[in-house]
Amino acid sequence: MTEYPDLRERVLEANLALVRAGLVVLTFGNASAVDRAAGVFGIKPSGIPYDRLTPADIAVVELATGAVVGTGTRPSSDTPTHLALYRAWRGVGGIAHTHSAFATSWAQARREIPCFGTTHADHFDGAVPVTRALTPAEIAGEYEHETGEVIIETFAALEREPLDMPAVLVASHGPFTWGASADEAVENAVALEAVAASAYRSLALAGELGPIPAELLRKHFSRKHGTAAYYGQPS
């Protein structure tokens, strides 16, 4: 019997959801979910096409050691990035990484995504940050681990909590999103691509453009998030 069947199913569904949303092509990108009680996380295997994925293909990795559980598939090459984030941010339950077109364009331009309007403010509390570029030594060393570390460094410097801003652009690379679950991580990846596209088109139309007024940002974000939220139905 395959170990961690529920975890594997959740990770499979998160990865397939990225495909349905049009955020990945070929074998690009990956999603993962953590089981903190068991001390493991599941992640897409490296190089296997999404249309061939099964629950048994999902790689399971120990949080403490980074070792693959059992003799299963080789995990995504981005596994050390996910591992670094799970170790640093205990509130994060799922992570998604894509090379979606518009968010990746902002990452390659090494530009944060400004909050130009209420669509952005409904989901992200201000500009989506971009990391610094990795140094030659970081690239030559444990590259994927250093990618995780530069994300953590970026949030520490900005004094942001990861669940308050569940997205980042890794300079010259692409977007990572996360959430309390893998489903939330995927939802945030979908939202990030939407606001990245809108921001790009806004600049194309308007040229120079300033961010949304702080009062309007706060109003729209607080309608959906926090103790004062009133969007949607009561739970």
Side-chain angles (χ1 to χ4, degrees), residues 154-172:
T154 298
F155 275 70
L158 294 173
E159 299 183 339
R160 299 298 307 259
E161 290 296 323
L163 292 180
D164 291 340
M165 172 55 69
V168 72
L169 306 175
V170 176
S172 304

Side-chain angles (χ1 to χ4, degrees), residues 18 23 96 98 100 124 177 184-194:
L18 293 177
L23 300 182
T98 77
S100 59
F124 298 106
T177 59
E184 283 190 12
V186 171
E187 179 181 316
N188 290 331
V190 173
L192 179 63
E193 180 65 5

